[in-house]
Amino acid sequence: MEDLKSGWKILNERLSQSEKLNRMIIQEMIHKKTISAYRKLFYTDHISNLLTILFIILLLGNAFSAKPIMKMQTFIFLEIFMTLALVVQLFAFSFFARFSLESAQLIESAKIIVKYQWWINKQKKYTPLVATIYMIVVFLLENPPISILETVIRIIVGIILLCAILWGFYYFYGNNLHDIKQGLKELEELEDDKLEDA
């Protein structure tokens, strides 16, 4: 009888160890997938910020060149527009960069992702309108020697291209944000299971 009890005890310990090992493996897989999705967005945002800064610098170079490619009023408008865009981008990037998968910060990270997704949704809603106004203003300021019909056609083509680019951009962000949210949810569930077993 004692041998039987001892055997059951050993079996239970092995099962418990096996469950813990499986949980650790699952947790590691979820962790890697979530971090991979986060890094894709983090580096995309980082590159976007650097490209915006580069564009602002190139505009400054154009303003002081011997043969500027645009009028001064267009340059001023673009500088103000791009600087404001950079400030807004850096603000969103500043709180997105606080994301962490440490156990103690899972709830806080989930809040960060909710805020970031809200920001992306606002961008998705208003960027086409803002970009359309931007293109129209630039055309009006530059006043190119072309007909009104040609100007309208160019603006429409620009809007179509912009919408295609934005669709790809937001599809990419939407998929990765979904993976991050799903990963956070699963990691929280695993943490809750740990607390119940403790």
Side-chain angles (χ1 to χ4, degrees):
M1 193 66 170
E2 289 298 322
D3 290 342
L4 187 60
K5 287 181 179 179
S6 178
W8 275 111
K9 186 178 179 182
I10 291 168
L11 182 61
N12 284 333
E13 286 176 357
R14 286 180 179 174
L15 284 171
S16 178
Q17 288 174 357
S18 178
E19 284 177 7
K20 287 178 182 177
L21 180 61
N22 287 339
R23 187 182 295 156
M24 285 174 62
I25 292 169
I26 292 168
Q27 188 172 16
E28 184 65 24
M29 289 170 63
I30 296 169
H31 190 280
K32 284 181 178 178
K33 184 180 178 182
T34 307
I35 281 294
S36 174
Y38 169 75
R39 283 177 178 163
K40 287 176 186 176
L41 299 186
F42 179 86
Y43 290 126
T44 300
D45 276 2
H46 202 57
I47 292 168
S48 176
N49 292 334
L50 290 174
L51 288 175
T52 304
I53 291 168
L54 179 63
F55 187 69
I56 290 169
I57 293 169
L58 289 174
L59 281 175
L60 284 170
N62 169 75
F64 297 105
S65 67
K67 294 180 179 179
I69 60 172
M70 65 181 71
K71 295 176 181 178
M72 183 55 69
Q73 61 265 35
T74 309
F75 159 74
I76 293 169
F77 170 74
L78 288 176
E79 279 292 288
I80 293 170
F81 184 89
M82 295 307 297
T83 302
L84 289 173
L86 179 63
V87 170
V88 172
Q89 284 176 210
L90 290 174
F91 173 74
F93 185 73
S94 67
F95 69 77
F96 186 58
R98 296 200 299 267
F99 178 87
S100 172
L101 286 182
E102 294 296 327
S103 298
Q105 297 183 29
L106 285 178
I107 294 174
E108 188 60 33
S109 290
K111 290 178 182 177
I112 288 169
I113 294 303
V114 168
K115 286 180 183 176
Y116 189 74
Q117 190 164 38
W118 176 87
W119 165 246
I120 293 296
N121 288 338
K122 289 294 179 185
Q123 274 192 322
K124 191 176 180 179
K125 186 176 181 180
Y126 294 111
T127 298
L129 175 62
V130 172
T132 301
I133 294 169
Y134 166 85
M135 284 189 286
I136 291 170
V137 170
V138 169
F139 265 104
L140 291 174
L141 289 173
E142 284 296 290
N143 192 23
I146 55 176
S147 67
I148 294 174
L149 178 61
E150 192 174 349
T151 301
V152 171
I153 290 171
R154 287 189 182 188
I155 291 173
I156 290 171
V157 170
I159 292 169
I160 292 169
L161 288 173
L162 174 71
C163 288
I165 292 167
L166 288 175
W167 182 87
F169 175 83
Y170 291 122
Y171 180 80
F172 169 78
Y173 268 73
N175 281 350
N176 284 292
L177 282 170
H178 175 268
D179 288 345
I180 294 170
K181 288 174 74 176
Q182 186 65 30
L184 286 170
K185 182 182 177 183
E186 290 170 355
L187 288 171
E188 283 180 24
E189 288 172 355
L190 287 171
E191 287 297 322
D192 290 341
D193 289 343
K194 276 187 188 177
L195 292 173
E196 287 176 7
D197 293 343

